[in-house]
C-alpha cells in the first residue's frame, strides 16, 4: 500500500510528491521546492516517517518542477532521473529562470541519470513504468504504477485540461497524440498532476475536452 504526501511548492504552486511503501523506501517526484521552508518541510516529513529516499524523479525539465533538486540530491546523495529528451532543458534552468525574472537559489549541478520509454524504476515492493508523453515538453513523461492504479501526469494532463504547449519544445500536435495513451487506462485510475487537484481517468473522459475515446 502506497503512502503519498503532496507538497505544494514555489510561486507557481507546483505539486511535489513523496511516495513510499511498507519498506520505507521512497521516491521524490517533481521537487519544485524553491523556498527554504518548503525544502525543510520535505526533509522533516522524510525524517519523521523514517523514510529512505532512493529515487529523485522529474516528469519533465521545466524549472518549477526542478527548483529543489540540488537540495534533495545533496541531502540524500541521489542523481536526478529524467527523460533523455529533457536533460538539456533541466541543465538550462538558470536560463529558464531569467526569462521569468526568477533568481535561482543554487545551480542545477547535480548528477543526471536519463531514462527512456518503457524503463522501470523500482522502490520497495513497487515498480514505476516510464511512459513518454511529449507535447508540453519534448521529454515529458507519465509515471505509472499499475498495481496501485496510479499515475503521476506531470504537466501533460490536469483535471479538466492539459499543459500549455507554447514553451520551447512544446507541440499541440504531439500532446494530443500523447493523450491517446490515457484512454487505455482504466476509468478508476488515479491521476496526480503537476499542478492542481488529483482526478481520475473516468472523470477526465467525461469532462476533459481534450480527451476522446
Amino acid at each position: 500500500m502506497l503512502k503519498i504526501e503532496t507538497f505544494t511548492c514555489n510561486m507557481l504552486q507546483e505539486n511535489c510528491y513523496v511516495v513510499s511503501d511498507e519498506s520505507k523506501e521512497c521516491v521524490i517526484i517533481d521537487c519544485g521546492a524553491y523556498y527554504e521552508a518548503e525544502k525543510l518541510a520535505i526533509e522533516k516529513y522524510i525524517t519523521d516517517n523514517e523514510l529512505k529516499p532512493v529515487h529523485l524523479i522529474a516528469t519533465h525539465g521545466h524549472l518549477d518542477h526542478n527548483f529543489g533538486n540540488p537540495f534533495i540530491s545533496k541531502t540524500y546523495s541521489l542523481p536526478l532521473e529524467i527523460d533523455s529528451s529533457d536533460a538539456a532543458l533541466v541543465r538550462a534552468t538558470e536560463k529558464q529562470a531569467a526569462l521569468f525574472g526568477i533568481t535561482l537559489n543554487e545551480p542545477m549541478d547535480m548528477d543526471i541519470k536519463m531514462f527512456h520509454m518503457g524503463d522501470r524504476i523500482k522502490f520497495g515492493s513497487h515498480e514505476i513504468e516510464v511512459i513518454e508523453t511529449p507535447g508540453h515538453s519534448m521529454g515529458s513523461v507519465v509515471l505509472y504504477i499499475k498495481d496501485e492504479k496510479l499515475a503521476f501526469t506531470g504537466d501533460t494532463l490536469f483535471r479538466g485540461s492539459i499543459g500549455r504547449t507554447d514553451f520551447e519544445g512544446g507541440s499541440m500536435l504531439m500532446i494530443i497524440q500523447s493523450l491517446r495513451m490515457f484512454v487505455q487506462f482504466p476509468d478508476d485510475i488515479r491521476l496526480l498532476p503537476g499542478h492542481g487537484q488529483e482526478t481520475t481517468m473516468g472523470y477526465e473522459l467525461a469532462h476533459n475536452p481534450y480527451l476522446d475515446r
Side-chain angles (χ1 to χ4, degrees), residues 187-199:
D187 285 0
D188 60 346
I189 190 173
R190 293 172 63 196
L191 305 176
L192 281 74
H195 300 268
Q197 64 189 107
E198 74 172 74
T199 184

Side-chain angles (χ1 to χ4, degrees), residues 72-184:
I72 297 296
S73 179
K74 292 174 185 175
T75 303
Y76 301 108
S77 300
L78 295 174
L80 171 66
E81 299 175 47
I82 191 167
D83 188 84
S84 57
S85 295
D86 266 15
L89 184 59
V90 80
R91 286 292 191 201
T93 300
E94 187 172 357
K95 180 180 177 182
Q96 292 185 58
L99 293 174
F100 289 93
I102 297 171
T103 301
L104 293 185
N105 295 323
E106 50 190 326
M108 292 285 164
D109 59 357
M110 65 280 159
D111 290 336
I112 290 180
K113 178 181 179 181
M114 293 180 283
F115 51 62
H116 304 82
M117 178 72 175
D119 281 357
R120 262 68 174 180
I121 300 171
K122 296 181 179 180
F123 72 102
S125 60
H126 290 82
E127 183 176 83
I128 301 171
E129 179 183 356
V130 175
I131 302 174
E132 291 180 344
T133 55
H136 178 64
S137 71
M138 287 298 295
S140 288
V141 301
V142 165
L143 303 171
Y144 181 36
I145 306 178
K146 184 177 181 179
D147 291 347
E148 298 285 345
K149 291 188 176 181
L150 178 70
F152 298 88
T153 63
D155 285 3
T156 297
L157 183 69
F158 300 131
R159 182 178 172 90
S161 188
I162 60 173
R164 58 191 294 179
T165 59
D166 56 335
F167 294 127
E168 181 179 354
S171 166
M172 178 59 75
L173 176 60
M174 291 180 73
I175 201 170
I176 293 301
Q177 291 174 335
S178 293
L179 290 172
R180 294 173 184 169
M181 176 276 302
F182 282 91
V183 301
Q184 302 173 33

